[in-house]
Amino acid sequence: MLKQRLLRWSLPLLAMSALPAAIAQTVAIDPATTYQVIRGFGGHNGAGWIADLTPAQVDTAFGTGPGQIGLTVMRMRIDPSSTAWATQLPTAKLAKAKGVTLFATPWTPPAYMKTSNAIAHGSLIPSYYPDYATHLLGFADYMRTNGAQLYGISVQNEPDWDPDYEGCTWTSAQFIDFIKSQGPRFAGLKLMAPESLGMRKVLSDPILNDAGAAAQLSIVAGHLYGTTPSDYPLARAKSKEVWMTEHYTDSTSDANDWAKAMPVAIEVHRSMAANYSAYVWWYIRRFYGLITEDGNVSKRGWIMSQYAKFVRPGYVRIGATQNPYPDVYVTAYKGGDGKVVVVAVNNGTAQRRVDLTFGSGAPRTLQRYVTSAATNESYAGDYPVIAGGASADLEPSSVSTFVSQPAGADLTGSVKIVQGGLTANRFTGQFSGTVSFTNTTGATLTASTLRLVLEGLTAGVTLDNRQGDVNGVPTIALPVNQLAPGATVTVTTTFGNPSKGAIAYTPKLQGITF
């Protein structure tokens, strides 16, 4: 399926600054100031329109090892014919087994439900609203029963675009009517809308301002064709996450053209600064994608990895000086695993020195990774944090990620651990349980972060509410950072378990100190 559109063009590089590189500028990082929760960075799998990802390419896209991107979100298409749904399953199952967040989008309802009686053009006939909801839920149920539970489901792809291929137009009023009447049926799934072509608030504002529709909507989703990321105060006021669910900055050039790759870094930065919780590229594998047709990570993919591999699901964006130079763009994050991550994009032609300062909770050491025309997510050294700060030189036209390296202590021997029984959710297929920790010592257990570590988790089972990992072992942060003698704290666990077999793991308590 060709994705050429009149509104799609390359995001131009911003004007370069001529400021001298020798003068350091301060990047003030404030972990106490928090913004949106990050759900992840991902891409669309094009199975059915182009060849499916191979298992090796799934590893490359979603793995976190050397040579892998570390994506945590995957989008897929809901075919109007249920006979084609199996096309999406192989990669979805492999991705889900890696803990990837899956969501799905329809390009059109089945033709008989539309005013055009065709997969192109037309709109959904209101009398078919219940049948269309059943169609969408059927796809979700098919994925769930086959080991690929969806996190969310969209109502419609680009309802404000009327192409000659699969499509369906929707007005705000139609969205409101559908979401209000059918939304309650989507319990257990995050309902997403409107996925407009250019994040058009004129389409989503009425939905958010309708109390009945807003109550059923979880995620305001949209694309960035013909526009740039911008904050959405109304969505935040209504406690709705904003996801950027499709874009590519340029489809006419090789994804390894560095000059054409840098706009990806600028756009991801702008999306995060605009309080978006997710950023999803168009095709994962394409000559202009995150992986090229030969299965190798492209420069665009390495730029995405500077965010995806280090800013993990559940992390929160924190305060940071966004523009220490006119051509340098910075965002910062913290996770329940105790880490602080700072991503700095130098879009200029000169080296830029930055002083990273921490108002509170300063880490001990920062490890730096760099992607540039010459390097691909290369380790660039350790930076000790002295008196709450560290300095670094950012290479021209590069992306740097600084990752704190907290020290961990095993506190398992200081607590009594009780695992509660598991209960199943028949709709989602998930299993929920609890783990309780009671301090059995005479001293208060204190750390920057206390976290549950689930060692030896049964193969094929995923911890769906994980907040981080330790060398691939999932973790959840405790709601407290100290535990008095005799005190008890309980953590809830949520597992994905396609086989529905026994779930086993060894719970441990770890204290993280910056």
Side-chain angles (χ1 to χ4, degrees):
M1 176 68 67
L2 295 176
K3 296 291 293 180
Q4 301 299 327
R5 292 183 174 148
L6 297 176
L7 295 178
R8 302 185 175 190
W9 55 77
S10 228
L11 180 68
L13 292 176
L14 301 184
M16 306 302 182
S17 170
L19 292 177
I23 302 174
Q25 297 295 318
T26 298
V27 175
I29 300 162
D30 180 13
T33 299
T34 58
Y35 298 98
Q36 79 273 27
V37 175
I38 305 302
R39 300 302 174 190
F41 303 85
H44 180 90
N45 184 37
W49 283 343
I50 62 173
D52 197 6
L53 296 176
T54 67
Q57 290 166 356
V58 173
D59 288 341
T60 298
F62 301 105
T64 56
Q68 299 175 330
I69 302 174
L71 301 179
T72 52
V73 177
M74 191 180 85
R75 181 183 187 233
M76 67 187 87
R77 166 178 163 265
I78 302 176
D79 196 286
S81 172
S82 61
T83 61
W85 289 350
T87 305
Q88 305 294 332
L89 191 57
T91 289
K93 288 180 66 175
L94 292 173
K96 184 64 179 180
K98 293 179 178 294
V100 172
T101 296
L102 304 176
F103 76 97
T105 300
W107 264 245
T108 179
Y112 72 88
M113 297 183 186
K114 300 171 63 183
T115 57
S116 63
N117 197 30
I119 62 170
H121 309 300
S123 60
L124 180 63
I125 299 171
S127 61
Y128 280 111
Y129 283 179
D131 296 302
Y132 183 48
T134 298
H135 171 75
L136 299 180
L137 289 167
F139 180 85
D141 188 59
Y142 176 81
M143 287 292 156
R144 176 184 61 80
T145 56
N146 286 282
Q149 168 70 37
L150 297 183
Y151 178 81
I153 197 162
S154 176
V155 177
Q156 173 64 44
N157 177 71
E158 296 179 354
D160 48 347
W161 180 259
D162 191 19
D164 291 330
Y165 49 88
E166 289 184 16
C168 183
T169 59
W170 290 66
T171 65
S172 296
Q174 289 169 327
F175 272 120
I176 291 168
D177 289 344
F178 178 83
I179 293 171
K180 287 171 68 172
S181 65
Q182 305 303 314
R185 298 176 60 188
F186 289 82
L189 289 166
K190 304 293 186 182
L191 194 60
M192 309 167 71
E195 278 209 273
S196 66
L197 181 70
M199 280 281 186
R200 294 178 62 232
K201 297 180 177 68
V202 68
L203 193 58
S204 52
D205 277 357
I207 303 173
L208 292 171
N209 285 321
D210 186 285
Q216 302 301 325
L217 184 70
S218 295
I219 297 169
V220 177
H223 304 168
L224 288 177
Y225 299 110
T227 189
T228 56
S230 62
D231 189 23
Y232 200 169
L234 178 60
R236 288 191 287 107
K238 301 291 184 176
S239 300
K240 308 301 178 185
E241 292 185 1
V242 179
W243 287 28
M244 200 299 288
T245 53
E246 184 193 312
H247 194 220
Y248 56 82
T249 53
D250 174 69
S251 64
T252 62
S253 62
D254 189 318
N256 286 307
D257 182 334
W258 183 248
K260 298 292 181 66
M262 276 300 286
V264 180
I266 299 298
E267 183 169 277
V268 176
H269 163 84
R270 285 177 167 175
S271 296
M272 296 299 100
N275 291 301
Y276 294 178
S277 289
Y279 180 97
V280 181
W281 189 257
W282 178 224
Y283 282 138
I284 295 172
R285 189 202 66 240
R286 203 67 166 154
F287 71 90
Y288 55 83
L290 308 178
I291 298 174
T292 46
E293 298 294 353
D294 57 8
N296 293 318
V297 180
S298 70
K299 284 295 185 182
R300 294 175 186 180
W302 287 121
I303 286 173
M304 183 76 86
S305 183
Q306 294 280 153
Y307 289 89
K309 190 177 286 187
F310 305 105
V311 183
R312 305 300 290 175
Y315 275 40
V316 176
R317 186 168 70 89
I318 59 176
T321 305
Q322 288 189 21
N323 288 112
Y325 297 88
D327 50 14
V328 173
Y329 306 88
V330 180
T331 50
Y333 312 82
K334 67 178 181 181
D337 55 5
K339 290 183 180 179
V340 173
V341 176
V342 181
V343 185
V345 180
N346 181 356
N347 195 41
T349 58
Q351 180 174 283
R352 301 299 194 200
R353 169 155 287 200
V354 292
D355 293 334
L356 305 178
T357 64
F358 296 83
S360 62
R364 298 178 178 184
T365 304
L366 296 169
Q367 285 187 350
R368 182 180 172 223
Y369 299 86
V370 178
T371 292
S372 65
T375 62
N376 296 325
E377 197 200 288
S378 298
Y379 169 69
D382 283 8
Y383 292 73
V385 179
I386 301 172
S391 297
D393 292 317
L394 308 178
E395 295 85 347
S397 189
S398 68
V399 184
S400 293
T401 303
F402 299 86
V403 185
S404 70
Q405 301 301 305
D410 187 356
L411 302 177
T412 306
S414 300
V415 293
K416 177 184 177 181
I417 302 177
V418 177
Q419 292 176 251
L422 296 175
T423 58
N425 182 314
R426 279 194 272 178
F427 180 80
T428 66
Q430 294 175 312
F431 292 79
S432 297
T434 59
V435 179
S436 297
F437 300 92
T438 301
N439 184 353
T440 58
T441 73
T444 298
L445 303 178
T446 302
S448 300
T449 300
L450 293 171
R451 66 186 182 188
L452 162 64
V453 179
L454 290 80
E455 289 193 350
L457 182 62
T458 302
V461 175
T462 57
L463 179 65
D464 289 348
N465 65 327
R466 76 195 187 287
Q467 293 181 320
D469 60 80
V470 182
N471 298 323
V473 178
T475 66
I476 301 175
L478 272 60
V480 298
N481 59 9
Q482 62 180 19
L483 197 60
T488 299
V489 63
T490 300
V491 176
T492 298
T493 53
T494 303
F495 299 99
N497 185 20
S499 71
K500 298 182 174 59
I503 298 175
Y505 62 92
T506 300
K508 293 191 173 183
L509 180 65
Q510 187 178 59
I512 297 296
T513 303
F514 289 109

